[in-house]
Amino acid sequence: MKAFLVDRYAKGAALRLGEVPEPQLLDNDVLVQIHATSVNPLDGKIRDGEFKLILPYRLPLILGNDVAGVVVRVGPKVRRFKPGDEVYARPAKDRIGTFAEFIAMNEADVAAKPKNLTMEEAASMPLVALTAWQALVERAKLKKGQKVLIHAGSGGVGVIAIQLAKHIGATVATTTSTANVDLVKSLGADVVIDYKKDEFENVLQGYDVVLNSLGKDTLEKSLRVLKPGGKLISISGPPDPEFAKENGFGWLLQQVTRALSFGIRRKSKRHRVNYSFLFMAANGGQLGQIASLIEAGAIRPVIDRVFPFEKTNEALTYVETGRAKGKIVIAVK
């Protein structure tokens, strides 16, 4: 099968299009013919080697973290899926590889594709929707009437997180550029801070939750927006000791994460705020719940552009400009 591969970690390097064997099927696996995938900032970070300490992949590696497609074969212990089923998924972090024609995944990580979405639309959802769900529903336990600030509202995670928070019944503030103010309002944002005109930390206060996907400055300024007991959840780091413990890292890596997050954890304590780092996990059950919300019209995909499979490198470059509205999708089949 054809696949786009990382041969060695290098910042901004092009992926190599090559021929590789079809993935092997384990007992609990489904083999999916990939119809569409999508690009996430995570893909560029993996290629650049930024995650090699916490995600020790063997190279060459097939990149790609989102998939929508059709089940073509199932392992002997699979009970939930059969050949011909249309599915979508975010593969487990140690089994990524959706920039390809086929992928094998554990059935626990897979869900039925939302019936009202095309393959391209469905492929735009798994990683960002799971991130929003795990941040707002699982970690923050966001409730009706609470206030949440979602940074980068027009980005891949932002466009879904705004819709999910509104569905829960929260008041939603977001940051974006002038060009995307109308988009985030159409998704349900109640308060929109145009970062080219205003400093969000001077406008907002008394918030229960902040979801951060930006850099260190934004992370630290977000502390001023939260009320005591509020939650600052960051998907862009720095990783904290809790994350290291959950992932079974050795003593040395636990100390590294402790050092990396020491500054923000200390400042959070001073503000009486809880800081945590979230690295989303594959979860077919949650994708099933998200599919129900999509089918009910509570959440809709936002796609900027669709690239053909052979232009995967161009799709990756476009995402790295940081200007995409919502998601960049790759049509594979």
Side-chain angles (χ1 to χ4, degrees), residues 4-45:
F4 278 91
L5 301 130
V6 177
D7 286 315
R8 62 184 183 86
Y9 294 127
K11 193 163 178 60
L15 307 179
R16 173 176 63 86
L17 178 58
E19 282 285 342
V20 296
E22 261 185 37
Q24 287 185 314
L25 209 57
L26 304 177
D27 284 358
N28 293 298
D29 282 357
V30 294
L31 181 68
V32 174
Q33 182 171 21
I34 300 171
H35 284 233
T37 179
S38 72
V39 185
N40 297 282
L42 175 63
D43 298 309
K45 289 177 179 177

Side-chain angles (χ1 to χ4, degrees), residues 219-226 232 264 267-268 271 273:
L219 187 66
E220 292 185 356
K221 287 175 182 175
S222 295
L223 292 169
R224 299 182 221 164
V225 166
L226 286 159
L232 174 54
I264 189 64
K267 286 175 178 152
S268 298
H271 281 82
V273 163

Side-chain angles (χ1 to χ4, degrees), residues 120-167:
E120 286 81 7
E121 289 170 334
S124 76
M125 298 298 287
L127 186 140
V128 292
L130 284 171
T131 301
W133 183 280
Q134 289 168 19
L136 300 179
V137 177
E138 271 196 324
R139 186 75 57 92
K141 296 180 171 53
L142 189 67
K143 293 179 182 66
K144 186 178 180 180
Q146 287 191 315
K147 297 200 294 184
V148 58
L149 166 60
I150 294 160
H151 282 297
S154 64
V157 172
V159 295
I160 305 302
I162 290 170
Q163 295 176 81
L164 179 59
K166 282 307 292 180
H167 172 72

Side-chain angles (χ1 to χ4, degrees), residues 166-194:
K166 282 307 292 180
H167 172 72
I168 290 167
T171 297
V172 181
T174 192
T175 55
T176 194
S177 66
T178 314
N180 296 322
V181 168
D182 289 344
L183 169 65
V184 296
K185 281 183 177 173
S186 77
L187 296 172
D190 301 290
V191 183
V192 181
I193 309 294
D194 180 345

Side-chain angles (χ1 to χ4, degrees), residues 28 30 71 74-75 77-83 85 87-88 106-112 283-288:
N28 293 298
V30 294
V71 175
V74 301
K77 292 186 178 173
V78 170
R79 296 291 172 264
R80 290 173 49 235
F81 300 100
K82 63 187 185 307
D85 286 349
V87 295
Y88 78 144
N106 190 299
E107 70 168 335
D109 300 333
V110 179
N283 191 311
Q286 290 175 358
L287 279 178

